[in-house]
Coordinates of all heavy atoms in Angstrom, one line a residue:
I224 N 46.1 152.8 -8.3 CA 45.1 151.7 -8.3 C 44.8 151.3 -9.7 O 44.6 152.2 -10.6 CB 43.8 152.2 -7.5 CG1 42.8 151.1 -7.4 CG2 43.3 153.5 -8.2 CD1 41.7 151.5 -6.4
T225 N 44.8 150.1 -10.0 CA 44.5 149.6 -11.3 C 42.9 149.6 -11.5 O 42.2 149.8 -10.6 CB 45.0 148.2 -11.5 OG1 44.3 147.3 -10.7 CG2 46.5 148.1 -11.2
S226 N 42.6 149.3 -12.8 CA 41.2 149.2 -13.1 C 40.4 148.2 -12.3 O 39.2 148.3 -12.0 CB 41.0 149.0 -14.6 OG 41.6 147.8 -15.0
G227 N 41.1 147.1 -11.9 CA 40.5 146.1 -11.2 C 40.6 146.2 -9.7 O 40.1 145.4 -8.9
G228 N 41.2 147.4 -9.2 CA 41.2 147.7 -7.8 C 42.5 147.3 -7.1 O 42.6 147.4 -5.9
F229 N 43.5 146.8 -7.8 CA 44.8 146.5 -7.1 C 45.5 147.8 -6.8 O 45.7 148.6 -7.6 CB 45.7 145.6 -8.1 CG 46.9 145.2 -7.4 CD1 47.0 144.1 -6.6 CD2 48.1 145.9 -7.7 CE1 48.2 143.8 -6.0 CE2 49.3 145.6 -7.1 CZ 49.4 144.5 -6.3
T230 N 45.9 147.9 -5.5 CA 46.5 149.1 -5.0 C 48.0 148.9 -4.7 O 48.5 147.8 -4.4 CB 45.8 149.6 -3.8 OG1 45.9 148.6 -2.8 CG2 44.3 149.9 -4.1
N231 N 48.7 150.1 -4.8 CA 50.1 150.1 -4.5 C 50.3 151.4 -3.7 O 49.8 152.5 -4.2 CB 51.0 150.0 -5.7 CG 52.4 150.1 -5.4 OD1 53.0 149.3 -4.7 ND2 53.1 151.1 -6.0
Y232 N 51.1 151.4 -2.6 CA 51.3 152.6 -1.8 C 52.8 152.8 -1.6 O 53.6 151.9 -1.5 CB 50.7 152.5 -0.5 CG 49.2 152.4 -0.5 CD1 48.5 151.2 -0.5 CD2 48.4 153.6 -0.5 CE1 47.1 151.1 -0.5 CE2 47.0 153.5 -0.5 CZ 46.4 152.3 -0.5 OH 45.0 152.2 -0.6
A233 N 53.2 154.1 -1.5 CA 54.5 154.4 -1.0 C 54.6 153.9 0.4 O 53.6 153.9 1.2 CB 54.8 155.9 -1.1
A234 N 55.8 153.4 0.8 CA 56.0 152.9 2.1 C 55.6 153.9 3.2 O 55.1 153.5 4.3 CB 57.4 152.4 2.3
S235 N 55.9 155.1 2.9 CA 55.7 156.2 4.0 C 54.2 156.4 4.3 O 53.9 157.0 5.3 CB 56.4 157.5 3.5 OG 55.8 157.9 2.3
V236 N 53.3 156.0 3.4 CA 51.9 156.3 3.6 C 51.1 155.0 3.9 O 49.9 155.1 4.2 CB 51.3 157.1 2.4 CG1 52.1 158.3 2.1 CG2 51.1 156.2 1.2
E237 N 51.7 153.9 3.7 CA 51.0 152.6 3.9 C 50.4 152.6 5.3 O 51.0 152.9 6.3 CB 52.0 151.5 3.8 CG 51.4 150.1 3.8 CD 51.0 149.6 2.5 OE1 51.8 149.7 1.5 OE2 49.9 149.1 2.4
G238 N 49.1 152.2 5.3 CA 48.3 152.1 6.5 C 47.7 153.4 6.9 O 46.8 153.4 7.8
R239 N 48.0 154.5 6.3 CA 47.4 155.8 6.7 C 46.6 156.4 5.5 O 45.6 157.1 5.8 CB 48.5 156.9 7.1 CG 49.3 156.5 8.3 CD 50.2 157.6 8.7 NE 51.2 157.9 7.7 CZ 51.4 159.0 7.1 NH1 50.6 160.0 7.3 NH2 52.4 159.2 6.1
F240 N 47.0 156.1 4.3 CA 46.3 156.6 3.1 C 45.6 155.5 2.5 O 46.1 154.4 2.5 CB 47.3 157.3 2.1 CG 47.9 158.5 2.6 CD1 47.9 159.0 3.9 CD2 48.6 159.3 1.6 CE1 48.6 160.1 4.3 CE2 49.2 160.5 2.0 CZ 49.2 160.9 3.3
T241 N 44.4 155.8 1.9 CA 43.7 154.8 1.1 C 43.2 155.4 -0.2 O 42.5 156.4 -0.2 CB 42.4 154.3 1.9 OG1 42.8 153.8 3.2 CG2 41.7 153.2 1.2
I242 N 43.6 154.7 -1.3 CA 43.2 155.1 -2.6 C 42.0 154.2 -3.0 O 41.9 153.0 -2.7 CB 44.3 155.0 -3.6 CG1 43.9 155.6 -5.0 CG2 44.8 153.6 -3.8 CD1 45.1 155.8 -5.9
S243 N 41.0 154.8 -3.7 CA 39.9 154.1 -4.2 C 39.4 154.7 -5.5 O 39.8 155.9 -5.8 CB 38.7 154.1 -3.2 OG 38.3 155.4 -2.9
R244 N 38.6 154.0 -6.3 CA 38.1 154.5 -7.6 C 36.7 154.1 -7.8 O 36.3 153.0 -7.3 CB 39.0 154.1 -8.7 CG 39.0 152.6 -9.0 CD 40.1 152.2 -10.0 NE 39.8 152.8 -11.4 CZ 40.7 152.9 -12.4 NH1 41.9 152.5 -12.2 NH2 40.3 153.3 -13.6
D245 N 36.0 154.9 -8.6 CA 34.7 154.5 -9.0 C 34.6 154.6 -10.5 O 34.6 155.7 -11.1 CB 33.7 155.5 -8.4 CG 32.2 155.2 -8.6 OD1 31.9 154.5 -9.6 OD2 31.4 155.5 -7.8
N246 N 34.6 153.4 -11.1 CA 34.6 153.4 -12.6 C 33.3 153.8 -13.2 O 33.3 154.0 -14.4 CB 35.0 152.0 -13.0 CG 36.5 151.6 -12.7 OD1 37.3 152.5 -12.6 ND2 36.8 150.3 -12.6
T247 N 32.3 153.9 -12.5 CA 31.0 154.4 -13.0 C 30.9 155.9 -13.0 O 30.3 156.6 -13.8 CB 29.8 153.8 -12.3 OG1 29.8 154.2 -10.9 CG2 29.8 152.3 -12.4
E248 N 31.6 156.5 -12.0 CA 31.6 158.0 -11.8 C 32.9 158.6 -12.4 O 33.0 159.8 -12.4 CB 31.5 158.4 -10.4 CG 30.2 157.9 -9.7 CD 29.0 158.7 -10.3 OE1 29.2 159.9 -10.7 OE2 27.8 158.2 -10.3
N249 N 33.8 157.8 -12.8 CA 35.1 158.3 -13.4 C 35.9 159.2 -12.3 O 36.3 160.2 -12.7 CB 34.9 159.1 -14.7 CG 34.5 158.2 -15.8 OD1 34.3 157.0 -15.7 ND2 34.3 158.8 -17.0
T250 N 35.9 158.7 -11.1 CA 36.6 159.4 -10.1 C 37.6 158.5 -9.3 O 37.4 157.3 -9.3 CB 35.6 160.0 -9.1 OG1 34.8 158.9 -8.5 CG2 34.7 161.0 -9.7
V251 N 38.6 159.1 -8.8 CA 39.6 158.4 -8.0 C 39.7 159.3 -6.7 O 39.8 160.5 -6.8 CB 40.9 158.1 -8.7 CG1 41.6 159.4 -9.2 CG2 41.8 157.4 -7.8
S252 N 39.8 158.7 -5.6 CA 39.9 159.4 -4.3 C 41.1 158.9 -3.5 O 41.6 157.8 -3.7 CB 38.6 159.2 -3.5 OG 37.5 159.7 -4.2
L253 N 41.5 159.8 -2.6 CA 42.6 159.5 -1.7 C 42.2 159.9 -0.3 O 42.0 161.1 -0.1 CB 43.9 160.2 -2.1 CG 45.1 159.8 -1.2 CD1 45.6 158.3 -1.5 CD2 46.3 160.7 -1.5
R254 N 42.0 159.0 0.6 CA 41.7 159.3 2.0 C 43.0 159.4 2.7 O 43.8 158.5 2.7 CB 40.9 158.2 2.6 CG 40.6 158.4 4.1 CD 39.6 159.6 4.3 NE 39.3 159.8 5.7 CZ 38.5 160.8 6.1 NH1 38.0 161.6 5.3 NH2 38.3 160.9 7.4
V255 N 43.2 160.6 3.3 CA 44.5 160.9 4.0 C 44.2 160.9 5.5 O 43.4 161.8 5.9 CB 45.1 162.2 3.5 CG1 46.3 162.6 4.3 CG2 45.4 162.1 2.0
N256 N 44.8 160.0 6.2 CA 44.7 160.0 7.7 C 46.0 160.3 8.3 O 47.1 160.0 7.8 CB 44.1 158.7 8.2 CG 42.7 158.4 7.8 OD1 41.9 159.3 7.7 ND2 42.4 157.2 7.5
S257 N 46.0 160.9 9.5 CA 47.2 161.2 10.3 C 48.2 161.9 9.5 O 49.4 161.5 9.4 CB 47.7 159.8 10.9 OG 46.8 159.2 11.6
L258 N 47.9 162.9 8.8 CA 48.8 163.7 8.0 C 49.9 164.3 8.8 O 49.7 164.8 9.9 CB 48.0 164.8 7.2 CG 48.9 165.5 6.2 CD1 49.0 164.7 4.9 CD2 48.2 166.9 5.9
K259 N 51.1 164.2 8.3 CA 52.3 164.7 9.0 C 52.6 166.1 8.4 O 52.4 166.3 7.2 CB 53.5 163.8 8.8 CG 53.2 162.4 9.3 CD 54.4 161.4 9.1 CE 54.1 160.0 9.6 NZ 55.2 159.1 9.2
P260 N 53.2 167.0 9.2 CA 53.5 168.3 8.6 C 54.4 168.2 7.4 O 54.3 169.0 6.5 CB 54.2 169.0 9.8 CG 53.6 168.3 11.0 CD 53.4 166.9 10.6
E261 N 55.3 167.3 7.4 CA 56.3 167.2 6.3 C 55.6 166.6 5.0 O 56.3 166.6 4.0 CB 57.5 166.3 6.7 CG 57.1 164.8 7.1 CD 56.9 164.7 8.6 OE1 56.5 165.6 9.2 OE2 57.2 163.6 9.1
E262 N 54.4 166.3 5.1 CA 53.6 165.8 3.9 C 52.9 167.0 3.2 O 52.1 166.8 2.3 CB 52.7 164.7 4.3 CG 53.4 163.4 4.7 CD 52.5 162.3 5.1 OE1 51.6 162.5 5.9 OE2 52.8 161.2 4.7
T263 N 53.2 168.2 3.7 CA 52.7 169.4 3.0 C 53.2 169.3 1.6 O 54.4 169.2 1.3 CB 53.2 170.6 3.7 OG1 52.5 170.7 5.0 CG2 52.9 171.9 2.9
A264 N 52.3 169.4 0.6 CA 52.7 169.3 -0.8 C 51.5 169.6 -1.7 O 50.4 169.7 -1.2 CB 53.2 167.9 -1.1
V265 N 51.8 169.8 -3.0 CA 50.8 169.8 -4.0 C 50.5 168.3 -4.4 O 51.5 167.6 -4.7 CB 51.1 170.6 -5.2 CG1 50.0 170.5 -6.2 CG2 51.4 172.1 -4.8
Y266 N 49.3 167.9 -4.3 CA 48.9 166.5 -4.6 C 48.3 166.5 -6.0 O 47.4 167.2 -6.3 CB 48.0 165.9 -3.6 CG 48.7 165.6 -2.3 CD1 49.2 166.5 -1.4 CD2 48.8 164.2 -1.9 CE1 49.9 166.2 -0.3 CE2 49.5 163.9 -0.7 CZ 50.0 164.9 0.1 OH 50.7 164.5 1.2
Y267 N 48.9 165.6 -6.8 CA 48.4 165.5 -8.2 C 47.8 164.2 -8.6 O 48.2 163.1 -8.1 CB 49.6 165.7 -9.2 CG 50.3 167.0 -9.1 CD1 51.4 167.2 -8.2 CD2 49.9 168.0 -10.0 CE1 52.0 168.4 -8.2 CE2 50.6 169.3 -9.9 CZ 51.6 169.4 -9.1 OH 52.3 170.7 -9.0
C268 N 46.7 164.3 -9.3 CA 46.1 163.1 -9.9 C 46.8 162.7 -11.2 O 47.2 163.6 -12.0 CB 44.6 163.4 -10.1 SG 43.6 162.1 -10.8

C-alpha cells in the first residue's frame, strides 16, 4: 500500500486479504479472511 492508499495484491490473495494503513498512528494492517492451510507462513512487515 502506498502512502496515498493505492493497493496491490498477490493474485492468490486478491479478494480475501485487505491491507490498510494509518499514517497518523504509523501502522499498517492486513486483514486475512478465508485463510487456507497452505498459507501457513511467517508474515513479515
Side-chain angles (χ1 to χ4, degrees):
I224 184 168
T225 67
S226 59
F229 181 81
T230 57
N231 179 58
Y232 294 93
S235 61
V236 307
E237 186 87 48
R239 296 186 296 120
F240 291 15
T241 303
I242 189 171
S243 60
R244 66 188 291 162
D245 185 332
N246 289 336
T247 62
E248 296 290 333
N249 290 2
T250 59
V251 59
S252 297
L253 185 71
R254 178 69 180 178
V255 175
N256 291 327
S257 302
L258 187 76
K259 303 176 182 178
E261 59 268 31
E262 293 179 313
T263 292
V265 178
Y266 283 68
Y267 295 91
C268 179

